[in-house]
Coordinates of all heavy atoms in Angstrom, one line a residue:
K1427 N 103.6 107.8 112.7 CA 102.4 107.2 111.9 C 101.5 108.4 111.5 O 101.3 109.4 112.2 CB 101.6 106.3 112.9 CG 102.3 105.0 113.2 CD 101.5 104.1 114.0 CE 102.2 102.8 114.3 NZ 101.3 101.9 115.1
S1428 N 101.0 108.2 110.3 CA 100.0 109.2 109.8 C 98.7 108.5 109.6 O 98.5 107.4 110.0 CB 100.5 109.7 108.4 OG 100.5 108.7 107.5
G1429 N 97.7 109.3 109.1 CA 96.4 108.8 108.9 C 96.3 107.8 107.8 O 96.7 106.6 107.9
Q1430 N 95.7 108.2 106.7 CA 95.5 107.2 105.6 C 96.8 106.9 104.9 O 97.0 105.8 104.3 CB 94.5 107.8 104.6 CG 93.1 108.0 105.1 CD 92.2 108.5 104.0 OE1 92.6 109.3 103.1 NE2 90.9 108.2 104.1
G1431 N 97.8 107.8 105.0 CA 99.1 107.5 104.4 C 99.2 107.5 102.9 O 99.9 106.7 102.3
N1432 N 98.4 108.4 102.3 CA 98.6 108.5 100.8 C 99.3 109.8 100.5 O 99.6 110.6 101.4 CB 97.2 108.6 100.2 CG 96.5 107.2 100.2 OD1 97.2 106.2 100.3 ND2 95.2 107.2 100.2
H1433 N 99.5 110.1 99.2 CA 100.3 111.2 98.8 C 99.5 112.4 98.3 O 98.6 112.2 97.5 CB 101.3 110.8 97.7 CG 102.0 109.5 98.1 ND1 103.2 109.6 98.8 CD2 101.7 108.2 97.9 CE1 103.6 108.3 99.0 NE2 102.7 107.5 98.5
R1434 N 99.8 113.6 98.8 CA 99.1 114.8 98.3 C 99.4 115.1 96.9 O 100.5 114.9 96.4 CB 99.4 116.0 99.2 CG 98.8 115.8 100.6 CD 99.1 117.1 101.4 NE 98.5 117.0 102.7 CZ 99.0 116.4 103.8 NH1 100.2 115.8 103.7 NH2 98.4 116.4 105.0
T1435 N 98.4 115.7 96.2 CA 98.6 116.2 94.9 C 98.2 117.6 94.8 O 97.7 118.2 95.8 CB 97.7 115.4 93.9 OG1 96.3 115.9 94.1 CG2 97.7 113.9 94.1
P1436 N 98.6 118.3 93.8 CA 98.2 119.8 93.7 C 96.7 120.0 93.5 O 96.3 121.2 93.5 CB 99.0 120.3 92.5 CG 100.0 119.2 92.2 CD 99.4 117.9 92.6
H1437 N 95.9 119.0 93.3 CA 94.5 119.2 93.0 C 93.6 119.2 94.2 O 93.8 118.5 95.2 CB 94.1 118.0 92.0 CG 95.0 117.9 90.8 ND1 94.9 118.8 89.8 CD2 96.0 117.0 90.6 CE1 95.8 118.4 88.9 NE2 96.5 117.4 89.3
T1438 N 92.6 120.0 94.1 CA 91.6 120.1 95.2 C 90.2 119.9 94.7 O 90.0 119.9 93.5 CB 91.7 121.5 95.9 OG1 91.5 122.5 94.9 CG2 93.0 121.7 96.6
G1439 N 89.3 119.8 95.6 CA 87.9 119.5 95.2 C 87.3 118.5 96.0 O 87.5 118.5 97.2
Q1440 N 86.5 117.6 95.5 CA 85.9 116.5 96.2 C 87.0 115.4 96.5 O 87.0 114.3 95.9 CB 84.7 115.9 95.4 CG 83.6 116.9 95.2 CD 83.0 117.3 96.5 OE1 82.9 116.5 97.5 NE2 82.5 118.5 96.6
G1441 N 87.9 115.7 97.4 CA 89.0 114.8 97.6 C 88.9 114.0 98.9 O 87.8 113.7 99.4
D1442 N 90.1 113.7 99.5 CA 90.1 112.8 100.6 C 90.4 113.4 101.9 O 90.0 112.9 103.0 CB 91.2 111.7 100.3 CG 91.1 111.0 99.0 OD1 90.0 110.5 98.7 OD2 92.0 111.1 98.2
E1443 N 91.1 114.6 101.9 CA 91.5 115.2 103.2 C 91.3 116.7 103.1 O 91.6 117.3 102.1 CB 92.9 114.8 103.5 CG 93.4 115.3 104.8 CD 94.9 114.9 105.0 OE1 95.1 113.8 105.6 OE2 95.8 115.7 104.6
Q1444 N 90.9 117.3 104.2 CA 90.7 118.8 104.2 C 92.0 119.5 104.1 O 93.0 119.1 104.7 CB 89.9 119.2 105.5 CG 88.5 118.9 105.5 CD 87.7 119.6 106.6 OE1 88.3 120.0 107.6 NE2 86.4 119.7 106.4
S1445 N 92.0 120.6 103.4 CA 93.2 121.4 103.3 C 92.9 122.7 104.0 O 91.9 122.9 104.6 CB 93.5 121.7 101.8 OG 92.6 122.6 101.2
T1446 N 93.8 123.7 103.9 CA 93.6 125.0 104.5 C 93.0 126.0 103.5 O 92.7 127.1 103.9 CB 95.0 125.6 104.9 OG1 95.9 125.6 103.8 CG2 95.6 124.7 106.0
D1447 N 92.8 125.6 102.3 CA 92.2 126.5 101.3 C 90.7 126.6 101.5 O 90.0 125.7 101.7 CB 92.5 126.0 99.9 CG 94.0 126.0 99.6 OD1 94.7 126.8 100.1 OD2 94.4 125.1 98.7
M1448 N 90.2 127.9 101.3 CA 88.7 128.2 101.4 C 88.2 128.7 100.1 O 88.9 129.3 99.3 CB 88.5 129.2 102.5 CG 89.1 128.9 103.9 SD 88.3 127.5 104.7 CE 86.7 128.2 105.0
R1449 N 86.9 128.5 99.9 CA 86.3 129.0 98.7 C 84.8 129.2 99.0 O 84.3 128.6 100.0 CB 86.5 128.2 97.4 CG 85.9 126.7 97.6 CD 85.9 126.0 96.2 NE 85.6 124.6 96.3 CZ 84.4 124.2 96.5 NH1 83.3 125.0 96.5 NH2 84.1 122.9 96.5
E1450 N 84.1 129.8 98.0 CA 82.6 130.0 98.2 C 81.9 128.6 98.0 O 82.4 127.7 97.3 CB 82.1 131.0 97.2 CG 82.0 130.6 95.8 CD 83.4 130.6 95.0 OE1 84.3 131.0 95.7 OE2 83.4 130.3 93.8
F1451 N 80.7 128.5 98.6 CA 79.9 127.3 98.5 C 79.4 127.2 97.0 O 79.0 128.1 96.4 CB 78.7 127.5 99.4 CG 77.7 126.3 99.4 CD1 78.0 125.1 100.1 CD2 76.6 126.4 98.6 CE1 77.1 124.1 100.0 CE2 75.7 125.3 98.5 CZ 76.0 124.2 99.2
R1452 N 79.4 125.9 96.6 CA 78.9 125.6 95.3 C 77.9 124.5 95.4 O 78.0 123.6 96.3 CB 80.0 125.2 94.3 CG 81.1 126.2 94.1 CD 82.3 125.6 93.3 NE 83.4 126.5 93.2 CZ 84.6 126.1 93.0 NH1 84.9 124.9 92.7 NH2 85.6 127.0 92.9
F1453 N 76.9 124.5 94.4 CA 75.9 123.4 94.5 C 76.6 122.1 94.3 O 77.5 121.9 93.4 CB 74.9 123.6 93.3 CG 73.9 122.5 93.3 CD1 72.8 122.5 94.1 CD2 74.0 121.5 92.3 CE1 71.9 121.6 94.1 CE2 73.0 120.5 92.2 CZ 72.0 120.5 93.1
G1454 N 76.3 121.2 95.2 CA 76.9 119.8 95.2 C 77.9 119.6 96.3 O 78.3 118.5 96.5
D1455 N 78.3 120.7 96.9 CA 79.3 120.6 98.0 C 78.5 119.9 99.2 O 77.4 120.1 99.5 CB 79.8 121.9 98.5 CG 80.8 122.5 97.5 OD1 81.4 121.8 96.8 OD2 80.9 123.8 97.5
S1456 N 79.2 119.0 99.9 CA 78.6 118.3 101.1 C 78.6 119.3 102.3 O 79.4 120.2 102.4 CB 79.4 117.1 101.4 OG 80.8 117.4 101.7
L1457 N 77.6 119.1 103.1 CA 77.4 119.9 104.3 C 78.6 119.9 105.2 O 78.9 120.9 105.9 CB 76.2 119.5 105.0 CG 74.8 119.7 104.3 CD1 73.7 119.3 105.1 CD2 74.7 121.2 103.9
D1458 N 79.3 118.8 105.3 CA 80.4 118.7 106.3 C 81.6 119.5 105.8 O 82.6 119.7 106.5 CB 80.8 117.2 106.5 CG 81.2 116.5 105.3 OD1 81.2 117.1 104.2 OD2 81.6 115.3 105.4
Q1459 N 81.6 120.0 104.5 CA 82.7 120.8 104.1 C 82.5 122.3 104.5 O 83.5 123.1 104.4 CB 82.8 120.8 102.5 CG 83.5 119.5 102.0 CD 83.6 119.6 100.5 OE1 82.8 119.1 99.7 NE2 84.6 120.3 100.0
I1460 N 81.3 122.7 104.9 CA 81.1 124.1 105.2 C 81.8 124.4 106.5 O 81.7 123.7 107.5 CB 79.5 124.3 105.4 CG1 78.8 124.0 104.1 CG2 79.3 125.7 105.9 CD1 77.3 124.1 104.2
S1461 N 82.5 125.5 106.4 CA 83.2 126.1 107.6 C 82.3 127.0 108.3 O 82.0 128.2 107.8 CB 84.5 126.8 107.2 OG 85.1 127.4 108.3

Side-chain angles (χ1 to χ4, degrees):
K1427 290 183 179 179
S1428 65
Q1430 293 180 332
N1432 291 336
H1433 310 272
R1434 290 183 175 85
T1435 73
H1437 305 285
T1438 56
Q1440 297 294 329
D1442 308 304
E1443 184 179 270
Q1444 284 193 338
S1445 73
T1446 58
D1447 297 330
M1448 306 290 294
R1449 62 168 172 79
E1450 72 281 0
F1451 177 84
R1452 298 171 189 161
F1453 179 76
D1455 289 332
S1456 60
L1457 294 179
D1458 58 359
Q1459 281 184 263
I1460 297 175
S1461 173

